[in-house]
Amino acid sequence: MRRGVEAMAELMRMSLDAPEETRAFEGDMGRLELVNIDTGPVGRGTFQPGWRWSEHVKPIAKTESCEAAHMAYYVSGRMRVVMDDGQEAEFGPGDVAVIPPGHDAWIVGEEPCVLIDWQGFADYAKR
């Protein structure tokens, strides 16, 4: 290695179709599939119609609202997010979301919502 040149990161290939960990939500209302990379876990969340954080994850998290910060890409379905301070937004396919801690969320419509999250799933729904 040349002086002043850092070693390059190792090439990796992982698949969310073969996750290292899977976490189920309460009431069989979806799941979180995780792979771990050097900067932390990357997760695919699948949320079934009728899923709501305050009903299907709150009993696991044991907090009043979701305290995870999320940076996510929405693949399919729709999700409404309401912050503790009243801000709200709806996300759907193609959207990138930055969601700070302190929120509730639920699925809008009759289609499962699938998203990829690079930030907020390390302890999400972890028992």
Side-chain angles (χ1 to χ4, degrees), residues 13-73:
R13 180 183 178 274
M14 304 177 92
S15 175
L16 289 167
D17 292 332
E20 295 175 294
E21 183 180 357
T22 300
R23 301 176 192 160
F25 303 141
E26 294 286 307
D28 199 29
M29 292 298 286
R31 68 191 172 284
L32 172 61
E33 297 156 311
L34 295 163
V35 294
N36 292 293
I37 61 174
D38 290 343
T39 56
V42 175
R44 175 173 57 196
T46 302
F47 305 84
Q48 296 300 323
W51 176 90
R52 186 176 186 116
W53 184 90
S54 55
E55 295 175 23
H56 301 103
V57 181
K58 181 178 179 175
I60 301 166
K62 296 179 175 53
T63 57
E64 282 305 306
S65 59
C66 181
E67 294 301 324
H70 302 282
M71 184 169 42
Y73 173 77

Side-chain angles (χ1 to χ4, degrees), residues 1-6:
M1 184 164 78
R2 292 187 332 233
R3 180 178 219 163
V5 177
E6 293 184 28

Side-chain angles (χ1 to χ4, degrees), residues 74-120:
Y74 285 77
V75 177
S76 62
R78 300 202 66 76
M79 181 182 284
R80 186 117 189 121
V81 177
V82 176
M83 302 300 300
D84 291 348
D85 68 5
Q87 293 179 75
E88 55 185 275
E90 189 171 304
F91 300 96
D95 288 341
V96 173
V98 176
I99 306 168
H103 57 272
D104 194 4
W106 57 89
I107 300 311
V108 175
E110 297 303 317
E111 179 184 357
C113 181
V114 177
L115 60 85
I116 308 298
D117 192 323
W118 284 267
Q119 183 176 348

